[in-house]
Amino acid sequence: MRPNPLAVSSGTRLPEALSFSDSSVRRDRNLHSHIVINGAGIAGLTAALCLARARFSVEVHEKAEGFDALGAGIQISPNAYSVLDRIGLGRELRECASNPDGIIIHSARTGKTITTIPLGLDAIKRYGFPYLALHRADLQQLLFRSCNENDNIQLFFSSQVVDFEPHRNGITGQVSSNSTLTEQQAKAIILADGVHSALRTKRLGLAEPVFQKKIAWRALVPMSEVPEELKGNNTHLWLGNKAHAVAYPVRNADWLNVVAITPAENSDMAYNVSKQAIANRFRKWNAAFQALFDTRAGWTGWPINETPKPTMLHTGPVAIIGDAAHTMLPFAAQGAAMAIEDAGVLADCLGHTADTETALQRFEHARLNRVARVIDLARQNERIYHLGGMAALARNLVMKHTPPEKLLKRQDWVYGWRVDQGNDRR
Ligand SMILES: Cc1cc2nc3c(=O)[nH]c(=O)nc-3n(C[C@H](O)[C@H](O)[C@H](O)COP(=O)(O)OP(=O)(O)OC[C@H]3O[C@@H](n4cnc5c(N)ncnc54)[C@H](O)[C@@H]3O)c2cc1C
């Protein structure tokens, strides 16, 4: 028996408009053009759309019952946007996102502006695509809706690939759904099941993610309650001693999405924390930032993990993408971007080469250096953002005296990437 195609149950948090009609009719499929994806996050859903565009039939298995409209934002840089635009989502993405004019960098203690990195039209002129900020749930819903409307994609909730066995003709995946185990035949299986991917460790033998002794504190603050100086169409970045924060407008600028990262001895400290206890961590910060805690917004903690730098992204007909393959520090805002890039390159490689092993080798080759370089960038940003004392003063002076366009130019190798170049331009 096959798992039931996704039917959104009353317990899910999806809006009505996204509910599935009866999709229980199985589509004809050819083993040599059928791909199974485990995980319907940003990586899994983008991969499904890219693969469907490359004429594969795809089934996506998602462990959760439905999507959680997690109250947090996400920045989509031009490199990631270029992949989403290629699969026809550019216009809708722009419609639900803000396009900040720039990143205003502040001293966390005084709140004073150090410099502003131009984005907005400057980013579009430089990279051909915008730098966007939006609510994660809006991105997830856009991807989900597009998958749902695509005849070549089937999604299953409460369903997961629990094991697989490669063979001469492809691969057999064992799928567990509602306590029923079934076997699915495919050309390849893609693991896109996030930072805690079980098969990553169990079948690929890769190391567990490591808690980085840091917690991201997140809130969506109603814009009506935000101090005047933080209103407007900009991203704000505050640099503090061993801590930093980022804020940007989402959902028609009705909300300010705030993420602040501080040290923490253990990951449990992210949970059951009062707003006051979180606010205390920022008591030496400027008044405008502290005022964000005097609003109605609820704050939630999110432990920061990192996986060791990847040395492989496939074994036989199994590929691994997104956070499952390379969870990175969020200091370059590139985790989801790398997941989206993975998806685009993977589909191109599988679409251009009939032999799965060769295609996945090409995928791995195209991605390993690029991802490693972005992981290094995120670590470097951590060191720079979290400086204290004299080192912080020196950093601020250098930033202040560097022409803003030069600060943006430094990101060219990240934001200027395109899927058809496969790898970065180094
Ligand atoms: C504070 C913070 C801020 C960030 N900001 C940005 C940003 O601005 N820009 C950016 O590009 N990145 C950002 N990131 C990184 C980004 O959030 C992640 O890299 C991205 O969400 C990874 O997507 P994914 O699909 O690989 O994993 P996930 O989003 O974790 O999706 C994995 C999916 O697989 C499902 N799953 C799990 N286990 C199983 C299983 N056994 N079987 C089936 N399904 C399973 C999960 O339910 C989930 O739906 C940030 C991260 C943090 C922590």
Side-chain angles (χ1 to χ4, degrees):
M1 198 184 92
R2 289 193 46 82
N4 284 327
L6 167 68
V8 175
S9 72
S10 54
T12 63
R13 291 174 203 150
L14 284 171
E16 197 62 28
L18 295 181
S19 300
F20 270 87
S21 57
D22 178 17
S23 54
S24 59
V25 183
R26 297 293 306 143
R27 297 176 180 100
D28 288 342
R29 84 154 81 107
N30 174 351
L31 168 65
H32 300 292
S33 62
H34 187 69
I35 311 273
V36 170
I37 297 177
N38 201 39
I42 293 169
L45 294 178
T46 309
L49 290 163
C50 292
L51 286 162
R53 180 179 176 270
R55 301 185 183 284
F56 289 98
S57 68
V58 188
E59 59 183 76
V60 187
H61 296 274
E62 166 58 49
K63 187 166 88 168
E65 282 177 15
F67 292 126
D68 206 343
L70 188 70
I74 191 157
Q75 301 174 80
I76 294 294
S77 50
N79 47 317
Y81 180 96
S82 71
V83 177
L84 299 172
D85 189 60
R86 203 169 181 236
I87 51 174
L89 301 184
R91 185 182 53 79
E92 284 176 274
L93 194 59
R94 289 195 309 278
E95 279 171 7
C96 63
S98 61
N99 182 199
D101 296 331
I103 304 175
I104 303 178
I105 305 182
H106 308 261
S107 148
R109 198 176 52 78
T110 65
K112 283 191 184 148
T113 299
I114 302 168
T115 188
T116 301
I117 302 179
L119 288 177
L121 281 177
D122 291 278
I124 296 174
K125 272 190 216 144
R126 195 167 188 92
Y127 306 114
F129 295 113
Y131 190 107
L132 301 178
L134 69 163
H135 196 293
R136 269 165 196 267
D138 294 344
L139 175 60
Q140 191 109 14
Q141 284 178 14
L142 173 58
L143 294 169
F144 174 73
R145 196 170 54 234
S146 307
C147 286
N148 191 22
E149 286 164 358
N150 193 312
D151 278 351
N152 289 322
I153 301 175
Q154 284 196 303
L155 286 124
F156 303 89
F157 277 149
S158 304
S159 184
Q160 56 180 309
V161 178
V162 290
D163 210 347
F164 49 74
E165 201 51 54
H167 49 73
R168 271 178 39 183
N169 296 322
I171 186 162
T172 304
Q174 280 179 20
V175 175
S176 167
S177 177
N178 301 320
S179 315
T180 310
L181 215 53
T182 57
E183 289 196 339
Q184 306 305 328
Q185 304 298 328
K187 173 184 171 71
I189 290 181
I190 315 300
L191 303 181
D193 42 2
V195 56
H196 298 295
S197 167
L199 291 172
R200 168 192 160 84
T201 38
K202 180 178 152 195
R203 288 305 309 272
L204 269 52
L206 298 173
E208 300 268 358
V210 180
F211 173 59
Q212 295 300 302
K213 299 207 166 180
K214 284 178 187 50
I215 291 175
W217 307 101
R218 292 165 141 176
L220 274 176
V221 183
M223 200 59 89
S224 55
E225 298 181 39
V226 166
E228 274 312 308
E229 60 257 56
L230 302 182
K231 289 184 175 163
N233 188 34
N234 280 298
T235 294
H236 296 271
L237 167 63
W238 292 269
L239 304 181
N241 190 358
K242 298 195 181 82
H244 82 281
V246 178
Y248 45 82
V250 295
R251 292 204 162 148
N252 271 332
D254 286 341
W255 303 86
L256 185 72
N257 176 76
V258 190
V259 186
I261 298 184
T262 63
E265 270 314 298
N266 61 67
S267 57
D268 292 344
M269 291 167 80
Y271 312 109
N272 299 320
V273 195
S274 70
K275 189 151 109 176
Q276 191 52 51
I278 302 171
N280 285 344
R281 289 170 176 260
F282 302 94
R283 64 184 179 278
K284 293 189 179 156
W285 283 36
N286 65 90
F289 188 84
Q290 289 197 52
L292 298 172
F293 291 95
D294 298 332
T295 63
R296 277 174 298 159
W299 289 73
T300 49
W302 189 273
I304 300 294
N305 292 292
E306 192 190 49
T307 50
K309 218 181 247 184
T311 52
M312 55 87 86
L313 295 173
H314 94 102
T315 174
V318 180
I320 182 162
I321 64 171
D323 272 15
H326 42 68
T327 304
M328 58 187 72
L329 297 174
F331 298 85
Q334 283 295 311
M338 289 304 109
I340 292 167
E341 285 188 7
D342 285 349
V345 176
L346 179 73
D348 265 22
C349 292
L350 283 166
H352 284 124
T353 314
D355 180 62
T356 311
E357 177 78 28
T358 307
L360 295 186
Q361 268 168 14
R362 286 187 182 157
F363 161 70
E364 182 178 277
H365 181 71
R367 296 301 296 153
L368 277 179
N369 282 348
R370 165 87 178 159
V371 166
R373 203 176 167 201
V374 172
I375 289 170
D376 286 343
L377 173 72
R379 289 180 184 164
Q380 186 191 46
N381 283 353
E382 176 196 10
R383 287 191 293 275
I384 296 171
Y385 289 2
H386 289 191
L387 289 172
M390 292 306 287
L393 289 176
R395 173 203 60 203
N396 295 358
L397 265 180
V398 171
M399 281 186 171
K400 207 178 174 76
H401 294 291
T402 305
E405 54 288 0
K406 203 167 166 194
L407 293 172
L408 180 61
K409 192 167 179 247
R410 283 189 187 155
Q411 304 295 320
D412 282 1
W413 68 271
V414 186
Y415 301 160
W417 176 96
R418 295 291 170 267
V419 73
D420 40 22
Q421 80 195 57
N423 208 341
D424 65 41
R425 289 186 180 130
R426 238 181 340 169

